[in-house]
């Protein structure tokens, strides 16, 4: 059965979610994507080059399994409470019986 990465945004007033087939992204690419999404909520950076000692944002990555045993990535960017969670899930079957 095919699986998907279900990506959800948390910590923002508006909801957002997306799904990406597991085979279309390597895990490293997914982590980079989540980091970029999280950093997109930080204040804009000046267009001029930053001095060497200027603070830069960092991202934190947590990898764990959810309650159902599905792999889960959580990514925060420093300075923002908005974060993204990607969970590896089975693709919903068509005509599956309701829960």
């Amino acid at each position: 059965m095919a699986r998907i990465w279900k990506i959800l945004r948390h910590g923002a007033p508006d909801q957002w979610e997306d799904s990406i087939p597991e085979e279309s992204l390597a895990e490293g690419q997914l982590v980079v994507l989540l980091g970029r999404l999280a950093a997109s909520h930080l204040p804009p950076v000046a267009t001029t080059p930053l001095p060497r000692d200027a603070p830069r944002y960092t991202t934190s990555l947590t990898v764990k399994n959810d309650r159902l045993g599905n792999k889960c990535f959580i990514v925060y960017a420093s300075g923002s409470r908005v974060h993204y969670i990607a969970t590896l899930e089975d693709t919903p079957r068509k005509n599956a019986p309701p829960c």
Side-chain angles (χ1 to χ4, degrees):
M1 175 180 285
R3 299 189 302 174
I4 60 167
W5 286 104
K6 184 174 181 182
I7 303 171
L8 298 170
R9 175 174 51 212
H10 292 274
D14 55 329
Q15 293 183 334
W16 179 87
E17 73 176 64
D18 197 7
S19 296
I20 300 172
E22 178 186 24
E23 66 273 1
S24 68
L25 280 179
E27 285 185 4
Q29 292 171 312
L30 178 65
V31 170
V32 169
L33 172 65
L34 295 172
R36 287 181 180 161
L37 288 169
S40 70
H41 298 279
L42 298 173
V45 178
T47 56
T48 57
L50 294 172
R52 284 183 180 250
D53 59 347
R56 301 206 174 13
Y57 82 89
T58 59
T59 56
S60 65
L61 168 67
T62 303
V63 181
K64 62 180 186 175
N65 290 331
D66 69 6
R67 288 174 275 195
L68 301 174
N70 297 318
K71 186 177 237 179
C72 182
F73 292 129
I74 304 169
V75 175
Y76 287 86
S78 58
S80 175
R81 63 186 208 91
V82 178
H83 59 283
Y84 287 81
I85 300 175
T87 306
L88 187 57
E89 301 179 350
D90 289 331
T91 304
R93 292 179 293 166
K94 293 180 180 174
N95 303 323
C99 297

